[in-house]
Amino acid sequence: MKLALCIGINDYPGTENDLSGCRNDADDWAAALIARGFDTRRLLDSAASGAAIRAGIRDLLGRATDGDAVVITYSGHGTWVPDEDGDEPDHRDEALCPHDIAENGPLIDDELHELFALAAPGVRTVLIADSCHSGTLTRLNHPIGDRPGRARFLPPSTFLTPQQRLRASLTTGPRKSRDRASTTVLLAGCRDAEYSYDASFDGRPNGAFTYVALSSLAALPESATYRDWLHAIRGRLPSQDYPQTPALQASKAQLAWPILT
């Protein structure tokens, strides 16, 4: 069994930081996954609340058994929050931004780690994230596409309380770091200290990473592996106009998996 959930959020009410290409990203990932035999559903804009995203991930992982594949794609804003449990060397937890982040907060990496840990042994889990993970909101001056790009980063000041913002600004001493090992493959649009960008190609909004990843995938043979895919993507990103470095977190065995199977 192959199961997929594609999340795309352009609309962020109360933040003044709407995006343009994320719904198209979700549609494009869904089309690619359906073509590979995945039972695929989408969560777009207001349907992609924090509760709905959590429930969607739990549902897929609850249905999957040994030998099955689960793929989650996320296109939208990324952000960070102050690390509360001392497991982050940079004192920040990276996070995804649901549609209702202004009311109910982000989905942090610690919780994602716990959600994916629900997968039964032998289930192949993959998370593809086209979002920023840290930094501040910026714009590109000379994008590759048809119009200026916007970083997919939501400033923490948008949703943190004044007390949380103060704590985030304080310099603290060394923190402990616990084992963050995960059996989930993570393909991300950028490194933690970089930005993923909205772009536009032939007049159609898309994430720069999603566009490159899917067009690179279409040119690869069916036998290609995640290692091959990353190599093809990095042949086009980072670029002078899109200084984002796609990242792949996977074990040696996972690097040799056939893509999206």
Side-chain angles (χ1 to χ4, degrees):
M1 182 164 55
K2 297 180 178 181
L3 303 171
L5 176 64
C6 299
I7 303 161
I9 309 171
N10 286 335
D11 181 26
Y12 284 92
T15 69
E16 299 182 357
N17 286 288
D18 288 350
L19 296 169
S20 300
C22 300
R23 288 184 59 127
N24 287 341
D25 287 357
D27 288 341
D28 293 347
W29 284 115
L33 288 159
I34 290 170
R36 286 164 173 76
F38 279 79
D39 179 1
T40 305
R41 60 177 296 219
R42 276 163 274 201
L43 290 175
L44 305 176
D45 282 336
S46 61
S49 66
I53 293 172
R54 292 173 176 91
I57 295 174
R58 289 192 191 99
D59 175 64
L60 265 59
L61 295 177
R63 293 162 55 195
T65 59
D66 186 9
D68 293 342
V70 173
V71 176
I72 310 293
T73 74
Y74 172 84
S75 290
H77 275 305
T79 192
W80 59 266
V81 297
D83 176 31
E84 298 288 351
D85 57 9
D87 67 332
E88 298 282 357
D90 62 358
H91 318 314
R92 298 176 176 180
D93 280 313
E94 286 74 36
L96 304 182
C97 301
H99 172 79
D100 59 345
I101 185 172
E103 297 176 354
N104 296 312
L107 176 55
I108 68 171
D109 55 5
D110 287 352
E111 186 175 359
L112 282 170
H113 183 83
E114 293 171 359
L115 284 170
F116 279 98
L118 298 173
V123 176
R124 293 187 175 189
T125 55
V126 177
L127 172 62
I128 301 173
D130 192 346
S131 61
C132 298
H133 293 275
S134 63
T136 57
L137 187 64
T138 61
R139 291 176 180 269
L140 291 176
N141 292 323
H142 304 288
I144 290 173
D146 305 327
R147 57 176 178 72
R150 181 172 192 163
R152 291 181 171 181
F153 177 77
L154 193 64
S157 58
T158 304
F159 57 88
L160 292 181
T161 66
Q163 292 79 10
Q164 289 173 322
R165 291 199 295 271
L166 175 61
R167 186 164 66 253
S169 69
L170 298 176
T171 301
T172 58
R175 301 279 188 100
K176 65 178 181 175
S177 181
R178 59 182 171 85
D179 184 9
R180 301 286 299 163
S182 172
T183 59
T184 299
V185 172
L186 171 62
L187 180 61
C190 65
R191 292 173 175 164
D192 280 351
E194 296 177 340
Y195 315 103
S196 284
Y197 290 93
D198 248 3
S200 180
F201 301 91
D202 297 324
R204 183 176 185 267
N206 260 128
F209 165 71
T210 291
Y211 182 86
V212 169
L214 286 173
S215 57
S216 297
L217 178 61
L220 290 171
E222 290 186 7
S223 60
T225 66
Y226 280 94
R227 181 186 288 109
D228 297 328
W229 196 13
L230 180 66
H231 180 75
I233 294 169
R234 284 196 174 174
R236 299 168 65 183
L237 289 175
S239 66
Q240 180 178 353
D241 297 324
Y242 290 104
Q244 60 185 89
T245 308
L248 178 63
Q249 294 182 14
S251 67
K252 289 183 179 180
Q254 289 168 332
L255 287 173
W257 283 359
I259 302 166
L260 301 179
T261 59

